[in-house]
Amino acid sequence: MLRKGVLRLRNIRRFCTQEKTYRVLLSTRDSIVGKKIVMELGLVAGVSVQAKSFFHDLWSRLRGFFGGEVTTYGDLVSMSSHTAAERLIAEAKRRGAHGVVAVR
């Protein structure tokens, strides 16, 4: 039975030895198709909390009150999500992982 967390993948190892930098595979599933999990390295987290200024918040509330899309918050959520993923990948690399499964 697989546990959620950071896992080392055997098949990607050969590719990674040729280059100093490598890509960490992310999957929302409990495994990565075509890769064998050989070692669990623990849990990692990537968290990002961001806020806009008072004036952006006020403008967004007025915009929401009168109708229309509040793009300020959409952009903020997108940027925060991207930053959290980057931090997750950085932490996984620090632990020597080649992939992270069960990303939520």
Side-chain angles (χ1 to χ4, degrees):
M1 182 172 158
L2 296 174
R3 295 183 201 164
K4 296 179 184 178
V6 181
L7 304 170
R8 187 181 302 268
L9 303 173
R10 180 184 301 168
N11 294 348
I12 200 168
R13 185 68 129 155
R14 290 187 200 108
F15 172 76
C16 296
T17 56
Q18 296 172 359
E19 299 180 18
K20 285 190 172 186
T21 60
Y22 61 91
R23 294 176 57 188
V24 174
L25 300 175
L26 300 179
S27 176
T28 57
R29 295 180 176 197
D30 289 333
S31 63
I32 298 176
V33 177
K35 304 297 180 190
K36 183 177 180 183
I37 298 169
V38 295
M39 184 188 314
E40 181 178 336
L41 299 175
L43 297 174
V44 292
V47 179
S48 175
V49 178
Q50 299 182 4
K52 288 285 185 183
S53 68
F54 172 76
F55 298 108
H56 278 98
D57 191 40
L58 181 63
W59 175 250
S60 296
R61 287 179 188 220
L62 288 173
R63 180 99 184 208
F65 180 73
F66 292 112
E69 182 182 4
V70 184
T71 57
T72 305
Y73 286 119
D75 295 341
L76 186 64
V77 169
S78 178
M79 186 173 39
S80 181
S81 187
H82 181 72
T83 303
E86 286 179 341
R87 290 178 182 174
L88 177 81
I89 291 169
E91 178 64 24
K93 280 185 176 183
R94 271 194 288 277
R95 293 184 185 213
H98 298 288
V100 180
V101 297
V103 175
R104 305 286 191 259

